[in-house]
Amino acid sequence: MNWEAVKDRRPVAAMRHEITHWVTLNACAPRCDLVPAWFNEGQARLAEATIPGADWRLVRIRYEAASMASTGTLLPLNLLVGQLSFNSFVSWAGYYKYQQSARVTELLREDVGGETPIAVVYERLRRGQNIAQAYAGLTGRTWDAFTAGLPARMRALGEGPGIVALPVAPDGAGASYLVYGFPSEAPLTVTAVGPVIETWALNASPFGAVFDTLLPPLPRGTYALTVSDGTTSVKATVTKSTLGSALR
């Protein structure tokens, strides 16, 4: 980790991310070779959301994965198993592979259940079971059934297009919102009606989602947001309680 690059960020999520990698690989030793990259990276990504003030990270994980499922752009999970293959996804896919991995890991935790679901998975891997065998042994369900059901479970959070608003921005100021499930790279128009009325343009990512913040010059207040691609419009209300960063 490059401390100089991350030391001024708040919260410092990179530290939690890298420590989680260390914990995962040590907990599975001597069979670290059985840890899928998506599971290792998914655990680390989820850990970033446990830092106070980082709730917005978990919202992004869940809804951006829902967007991938809604738009049929989920990455093949078998291509996220080896670290080299995982690393080969770059650009937009280089970001969304982490969101998908984290959501898959979260759903795996849910199925295993109990107070320490990941610890018992680690124990199975350490004994030489692969992730499919560990899952089947702990849940009584097949791995094929788990993977086949992932798109529907991710979409269950909200069929796109949709919008979710948050009271904070990533830097802890302003307010933010996430739209998801729009067509790939769709041009979007955002209208904010509140203390002032403003309109601006965005483009959905290739995976149908985009995250944005309400920053200056928008003043504090409650805004009714409408986001449209010209065919479908989604609406949300968000309250901007602080002025926010001067950066946009």
Side-chain angles (χ1 to χ4, degrees):
M1 183 180 68
N2 184 342
W3 176 246
E4 286 301 315
V6 303
K7 67 180 182 180
D8 294 327
R9 297 180 187 175
R10 295 294 181 272
V12 186
M15 186 75 75
R16 185 71 61 93
H17 183 107
E18 298 305 329
I19 289 173
T20 302
H21 281 320
W22 183 88
V23 170
T24 296
L25 295 178
N26 276 271
C28 295
R31 295 310 309 269
C32 300
D33 58 305
L34 294 175
V35 179
W38 63 260
F39 181 65
N40 190 10
E41 298 293 352
Q43 273 286 94
R45 190 66 143 197
L46 287 171
E48 297 176 23
T50 64
I51 300 170
D55 295 357
W56 58 272
R57 292 181 181 273
L58 188 56
V59 172
R60 289 196 69 172
I61 286 168
R62 291 172 174 171
Y63 281 93
E64 286 171 343
S67 187
M68 297 174 79
S70 293
T71 56
T73 54
L74 285 168
L75 303 171
L77 197 61
N78 66 306
L79 297 184
L80 300 178
V81 173
Q83 195 66 51
L84 288 178
S85 180
F86 186 94
N87 293 347
S88 71
F89 288 94
V90 296
S91 189
W92 278 108
Y95 167 77
Y96 277 87
K97 66 186 178 185
Y98 287 98
Q99 306 303 78
Q100 177 178 332
S101 296
R103 186 63 173 136
V104 173
T105 301
E106 186 179 39
L107 292 172
L108 183 147
R109 287 181 181 180
E110 181 181 304
D111 286 358
V112 173
E115 294 184 1
T116 57
I118 294 302
V120 295
V121 174
Y122 287 161
E123 194 274 333
R124 295 265 178 158
L125 296 176
R126 191 165 59 246
R127 285 199 279 130
Q129 294 184 2
N130 62 34
I131 195 73
Q133 292 167 332
Y135 178 85
L138 291 167
T139 67
R141 305 169 201 159
T142 68
W143 183 250
D144 285 346
F146 172 72
T147 56
L150 286 173
R153 293 177 72 182
M154 292 179 182
R155 288 194 302 269
L157 190 65
E159 287 277 2
I163 183 171
V164 59
L166 290 170
V168 296
D171 61 1
S176 57
Y177 63 97
L178 170 71
V179 294
Y180 62 94
F182 277 93
S184 176
E185 300 184 285
L188 305 173
T189 300
V190 184
T191 302
V193 179
V196 296
I197 299 175
E198 293 284 350
T199 299
W200 60 92
L202 291 175
N203 281 89
S205 73
F207 297 88
V210 60
F211 184 79
D212 193 29
T213 56
L214 303 185
L215 298 176
L218 290 178
R220 299 175 180 86
T222 298
Y223 291 86
L225 299 180
T226 301
V227 182
S228 176
D229 65 354
T231 301
T232 303
S233 295
V234 295
K235 300 176 184 289
T237 300
V238 63
T239 298
K240 184 180 181 186
S241 58
T242 62
L243 187 58
S245 167
L247 300 177
R248 183 176 178 83

